[in-house]
Amino acid sequence: RERGPGPAALLSKTQTTIHLVPLAHTALTLGAMAPHTSFEETILEAAKAEAENAVQARSRTLAHVGAAAFSRSEHKALEPDDWRHTDQRDNITPAEVQLSKRCHGAHIETLSQEVTQVGSHYLLIHYDVPFLNAQTHTLRIKGLVDNELQLTMADLRDRPSSTQAVLMACAGTGRMSMKVRLWTHVPWGVDSFGCAKWTGCSLADVLREAGVRAGARQVIFTGADRGVEGGKVQYFQRSMTIEEAMLGHVMLVYQMNGQDLTPAHGAPLRLIVPGWYGMASVKWLTSIEVTEGGWWGYQMEAYSFRRTAEDPERVPLTSLPVRALMAPPGIPDFFSRTRVAAPGTHRVVGRAWAGAVDLDRVEFSSDGGKTWRDARLSSKNGPFGWAAWEIDWHVDAEGTYVLLCRGFDAKGRSQDDPNDEQFNWTGMGDTQPQMVYVKVDKAIEHDGGSIDFLVEQRAARTSLNTDSDHGPALSQHLVNALYRSPGSQ
């Protein structure tokens, strides 16, 4: 398991205000940007810097809330009266169900496809979907700039554009995989992902046109969606350093998979920050403000790795980690999503990603993680996209099997090992391997064949997971494979 060095100095704190400090290795002077470099070339160059940023981000995360650095037992000692976390799986609240209906994951079987279709791409909508008029919508560039801009959609579409395959994943991906989950947020499994082709223009070019003034340190992005979170009325807002904004890969996007954005995906204009967790890609973008720094809004605090609710050493979420997922083989039982396959050889396919970092390998296990084999891995479909992988799984005997997969990237990063003690307060950034519960049964070969799933269905409730006429109770390992991370099946 990789162990990173101590966390780099990312935050400095004055009283209760947190200031982002630019990372030295990515610092770019605004004048250093080549004026005639195409957007495509700039994205490729930015990916190199983002790859290094991703390595440092992972190191800081592991040093603060990695399994070797912090545990749920330590959290319990620090916050004995905490009520926002639970170690149960069959106590999903109506509020969580409501959130999961509004914020849906991807269809796991779409991992067989190079591009995620609009209707299958994950969605996290914090408040309500704003319905904005593309004919009248404008983007305002303000703050520490020489020329404030008011850009229409026609203005933005007239600028040089690029279409990029960008893997996007929610920061809460895998929250349900953790033994102790935060139950006051979306109960994501591994399925909050999507890799679409986004079309838009360069944020850096727009900022250069506005003329960023000396002393600018931070850029704040505001969306049109408005609601209440943390007890505060707010628009959804995120920020990044001026160096990050000017790196050259951040996009002002108006199309998804060759079509104008749909309202739920941010129409008519959204931000796309390739290589970062999805919360950075602000939807329904209305304004961009350049400031001298010092702003730390609710969505910055919420999307931080923390040990406790109030953690002065919090680590902001930025770059994506490495992860591999599989499209489950066979066909599913409707209720339990138990996968069923016939004896024989099955081609298992999936996708892997690592943000801007190149992938090294994907490993596959068909015995619950006891042994692993290397899968065949293709190249990524873009500097910030994902890569296809496949492996042939041969099985002769009927019975129950637990399949897993895990990714490794070219910078030495790997996924989290399965660990019940792993904990961070918001349940963010978990990368424990996907588990897929497969029942091998010859009856699946014939329409009208009978297969008994009552044992699997009853196991969804702890009190019903008992020995019965239909078979013995499922072991905890099998229950975890089937139900611990909804969306895996």
Side-chain angles (χ1 to χ4, degrees), residues 10-11 18 20 57 60-61 64-65 99 103 122-127 168-175 182 184-188 192 221 225 228-230 234-240 244 270 276-284 295-309 311 313-320 424-430:
L10 180 69
L11 300 175
I18 299 174
L20 290 178
R60 289 192 299 270
T61 300
H64 192 53
V65 293
L99 279 176
C103 308
Y122 96 94
L123 269 176
L124 172 52
I125 299 170
H126 280 251
Y127 310 130
M168 193 182 300
C170 185
T173 301
R175 177 172 289 123
L182 174 72
T184 56
H185 212 298
V186 183
W188 290 122
S192 51
F221 305 92
D225 45 331
V228 182
E229 215 167 341
Q234 59 191 279
Y235 286 97
F236 189 91
Q237 291 181 300
R238 289 281 306 177
S239 75
M240 60 177 55
E244 291 162 344
R270 69 174 297 168
W276 282 37
Y277 283 107
M279 78 285 158
S281 295
V282 176
K283 297 188 286 292
W284 311 291
W295 179 84
W296 185 258
Y298 179 85
Q299 301 301 338
M300 303 301 292
E301 178 73 10
Y303 288 98
S304 295
F305 288 110
R306 288 177 275 164
R307 294 183 172 187
T308 57
D311 183 353
E313 302 300 322
R314 60 182 66 76
V315 175
L317 280 91
T318 53
S319 303
L320 289 166
N424 69 76
W425 202 89
T426 47
M428 302 287 189
D430 179 84

Side-chain angles (χ1 to χ4, degrees), residues 26 28 33 42 45-47 49-50 53 204 242-250:
T26 61
L28 296 174
M33 304 296 291
T42 303
E45 286 302 309
E50 274 298 322
N53 290 348
I242 190 66
E243 288 83 8
E244 291 162 344
M246 296 298 294
L247 197 55
H249 64 311
V250 183

Side-chain angles (χ1 to χ4, degrees), residues 252-306:
L252 300 174
V253 162
Y254 43 80
Q255 285 193 334
M256 179 183 186
N257 292 344
Q259 303 294 322
D260 289 351
L261 292 174
T262 61
H265 280 284
L269 183 68
R270 69 174 297 168
L271 196 70
I272 290 290
V273 185
W276 282 37
Y277 283 107
M279 78 285 158
S281 295
V282 176
K283 297 188 286 292
W284 311 291
L285 190 63
T286 60
S287 72
I288 299 173
E289 182 178 8
V290 180
T291 76
E292 62 184 8
W295 179 84
W296 185 258
Y298 179 85
Q299 301 301 338
M300 303 301 292
E301 178 73 10
Y303 288 98
S304 295
F305 288 110
R306 288 177 275 164

Side-chain angles (χ1 to χ4, degrees), residues 3 10 83 124 161 216 226 247 259 302 308 406 446 477 480:
R3 291 291 305 278
L10 180 69
W83 54 269
L124 172 52
S161 66
R226 186 168 181 260
L247 197 55
Q259 303 294 322
T308 57
R406 61 188 184 188
H446 308 289
H477 174 65
N480 287 344

